[in-house]
Amino acid sequence: MPAVSKGDGMRGLAVFISDIRNCKSKEAEVKRINKELANIRSKFKGDKALDGYSKKKYVCKLLFIFLLGHDIDFGHMEAVNLLSSNKYTEKQIGYLFISVLVNSNSDLIRLINNAIKNDLASRNPTFMNLALHCIANVGSREMAEAFASEIPRILVAGDSMDSVKQSAALCLLRLNRTSPDLVPMEEWTARVVHLLNDQHLGVVTAATSLIITLAQKSPDDFKTSVSLAVTRLSRIVTSASIDLQDYTYYFVAAPWLSVKLLRLLQCYPPPEDTALRSRLTECLETILNKAQEPPKSKKVQHSNARNAVLLEAIALIIHHDSEPTLLVRACNQLGQFLQHRETNLRYLALESMCTLASSEFSHEAVKTHIETVISALKTERDVSVRQRAVDLLYAMCDRSNARQIVAEMLGYLETADYSIREEIVLKVAILAEKYAVDYTWYVDTILNLIRIAGDHVSEEVWYRVIQIVINRDDVQGYAAKTVFEALQAPACHENLVKVGGYILGEFGNLIAGDPRSSPLVQFNLLHSKFHLCSVPTRALLLSAYIKFINLFPEVKATIQDVLRSDSQLRNADVELQQRAVEYLRLSCIASADILATVLEEMPPFPERESSILAKLKKKKGSGKLPENVNGNAELHAEEPAAANKASPPPPTEVLALNPTPPAAAHSLLVDVFSDLSAPTAVAEDHLSRFVCKNNGVLYESQLLQVGLKSEYRQNLGRIYVFYGNKTSSSFLSFSSWVSSSDVLKTQLNVHAKAVEPVIEGGAQVQQVLNIECVTDFSDVPVLNVQFRYAGTLQNIEVKLPVMLNKFFQPTEMTSQDFFQRWKQLGAPQQEVQKIFKAQHPMETDAAKAKLLGFGVALLEGVDPNPANFVGAGIIHSKSAQVGCLLRLEPNTHAQMYRLTLRTSRDSVSQRLCQLLSEQF
Amino acid sequence: MIKAILIFNNHGKPRLSKFYEHYNEDTEQQIIRETFHLVSKRDENVCNFLEGGMLIGGSDYKLIYRHYATLYFVFCVDSSESELGILDLIQVFVETLDKCFENVCELDLIFHVDKVHNILAEMVMGGMVLETNMNEIITQVDAQNKMEKAEAGIAGAPARAVSAVKNMNLPEMPRNINIGDISIKVPNLPSFK
């Protein structure tokens, strides 16, 4: 008899499903679904109470609709109601709906929690299991808060059924993952570990999963699990399979549990206790031996299960990395798998070998399989497997086989799947650089890369080749010659033009002696590619041309003609036009000496982490790759700490060539073109920019940038001041403080927290200023900054934008209230009026934004003339609160404004009027 | 950890989706489509593992799948799971379905989504493998069915009577559902003996 009888389902549901399946078109399906949704909605809303069966049926329909990809936005409440039914089937459907459809931040969680609480307390194992499943599937923080203390109790209780214990263990694991802080494990540790001895293998499996996660977080607390796990494993491995009845799967004893136990052991180093250690070694040997026995069944399931255990055992051997004999056996075993007829095994063997390659004991053994791996790369039909082969070649590469591996990878690149080309390009570039003894080989390899897969060569790769060529003068001549030759190909990739332009611009002189590559030939060759290139490349080529003018005075006239042509001087692209104009002027005005200084050869780049390596890491996700890259000791020596360096600088910084002219030339250009604006002086009017806004850049020079973020509440304020060091060296003895005039000191309290005396190059520090308004004020405090840069003391004084209007609280009021108060403030000194000319375009929205930024509430419909603005607010100070009403009347014809302010204090009216009138 | 379990047919129609991490509905549907796209273009007898699609987390996750007749069973897992272990788990799942539905076919999954979910819940919980022993799983499912029968016997009678009356007007009984362009006789899954 089938366990699920087919006939007695819910008839309405079956009819609905067949209807959907009969729909001929997507539209018909949507229509049918909408009809059903409307029907269910009306049923749920109807007055008649639905019985459990109908609720169950409708909830089931909703589930089906959801599976088809339609949004379900109701029915949650009915599902929650089903939870409290005492019928199993209804409860079950309720829980199913919730675990599929309710997300962790639903507002129904409280109701659900209540139902769960009842079921957990019911002592009915079926209900308890449903509840535990629900907690594990939703796993929200509220649930963790409600049940984190209850579940460990269920887990270790003597009278819990095995199936409940299993569920409780996994439930606890889930909560520990989602909200670890809420699941205190200390008092349960010993008893949870003890579950490894449980009679029921299902409980042991679940408990092992739990312990693996806990042991990863706090290894010391769960150390005792190691010996229990070894004991358990050895009992499974050595037992005759009949001992484990049901947990034997296709003649393999408890494969899942074995895998879990081996995983758990990978959380720890090899056991120190020698007896335990030899017992574990014995287990691992037995597992390796079993792999050589003839299979007990021809079924693929048998070999799958056996190999799952075997591969996990190998993973443990690699993790321990301490028993050379085991490591070599593991390597041989994987070597067998490399040629196995099962694709899955070949895939997994390649993957495991990647980690094995980083062990010093087995690196050599792995290398013996190089031919097999290369042939896998060439013959495997499955791209997943080929990708693993590439990974393994990358991992097993060292100085002895680098040339072979790089050549094979380059060869493979020509036919490789598009999805993995970029990764292969990065890998080839890294290997070529790392193992280059002879840099001509490196240059050849990279140019080949560009030739074969130019589209997949990212900026990092060609930046890097230029960095290396510039830093190594032994390869510069060769590089110039090679790119010159490569550029002669009728069609070459744009990346090659970039590399060629840069290198010839710097080192074209090294090959200019040969009449076949005379300056003019070089220039014509480059310029023949110019028109086919994108704007950034053209910009780079223009820079190369001006460098040519410096290197080869004989082509100066030719290049000037090119620069002078309309297609350059009047180019639609601003960057290209500017370069053409500036370079042309530069070449006309500057003397040979100045040219030579401005266009000097690029200085060597500082050694830094290869930007390519960083890119590859980013592509592969952190954690996985560095192991492979810096796997063996040899690599460590070559790239000291490179992998640990902070994040690499953005690529544009790596090579200062895009889109600004070469960095060395920059400061001198300023002198040649004297009409370029001088560094901006500290402008006085910056203060008025901050009247209506709280955040922004307060001050900026070539060294320092000061930014502000401020917030105000009633009579208190807080300003975060950010000091950014724009240079690459540190500011020393840095200090900053706020000074106020004597009068202001009594009106406004400013307290500045101390800052660090050193700001590293490129770093930013933050200072907090606390401000209290004692009474109304009109002066402005001053921010003083002092530091030592390059030996000289720098002093900066900036007015700090703390104005009276910052302490405004907006006030909404009706038209009637407004006019009543307006009249009350009728005394002549309380009103201040100013008529002034508009400084900015008179736009309504801009004016509104300014008034709101000023701090008042805008009152609509108060003024009979809709063009006028009316506002109200209260200034808060420690001593008093001052109400304030204002009216702003624009006159667009005359381009004038009339501003009227009425407050109960004349000094406040004066100051506010002054501040606000400057804004329009 | 298992991040998602998806079952869809050769045309990409989802037959079961279970996510153990929260995504919104749109993303879930996109993940199903993306996964189908990745899996369906692979030949038979290539390996059963591939890197996950971008939506599900890219190369940190693996898709482990099996293809039975008209259905794909796909598990999306992170690196903490054994690939072959999961592959066997899929096998246990399918064998269990086969026992519970007696020669399971695609239609069983369509008309009994709730049952399939319940069977799956006995095997995987919150993304973790709960039980791998088929006998144990079937015992649990049997126990549930008994309870269901018992409840249907006492309380379900009136409801069933009502629904029987309602169905009298239906032009055809669902036994002979016209499935339209899809043939009703879906080939049975390979036998597992």
Side-chain angles (χ1 to χ4, degrees), chain A residues 354-376:
Chain A
C354 262
T355 44
L356 199 56
S358 59
S359 158
E360 55 174 315
F361 296 116
S362 51
H363 184 75
E364 287 304 317
V366 171
K367 272 166 64 185
T368 58
H369 297 286
I370 186 165
E371 295 304 331
T372 321
V373 182
I374 286 173
S375 86

Side-chain angles (χ1 to χ4, degrees), chain A residues 3-4 11 21-22 71 88-89 92 103 166 174 246-247 250 263 299 301 344 347 351 382, chain B residues 20 22 25 42 47-48 62 80 91 95 100 110 118 125 130-131 133 144-145 151 167 178 193:
Chain A
V4 177
R11 180 143 297 168
R21 291 170 55 83
N22 281 334
D71 217 354
Y88 168 71
T89 43
Q92 192 188 31
N103 64 48
Q166 266 171 285
R174 171 69 177 202
D246 289 348
Y247 283 85
Y250 288 93
R263 279 270 154 128
K299 289 266 184 201
Q301 284 81 3
N344 286 340
Y347 175 96
E351 194 177 56
D382 185 349
Chain B
Y20 294 99
H22 182 70
E25 290 95 35
R42 293 172 62 81
C47 75
N48 299 72
K62 278 212 177 86
S80 71
Q91 179 70 16
E95 286 185 35
C100 292
I110 299 171
N118 293 338
M125 169 171 164
L130 175 65
E131 182 58 75
N133 173 356
Q144 290 171 12
N145 285 324
E151 283 172 4
N167 280 319
N178 175 11
K193 271 124 224 163

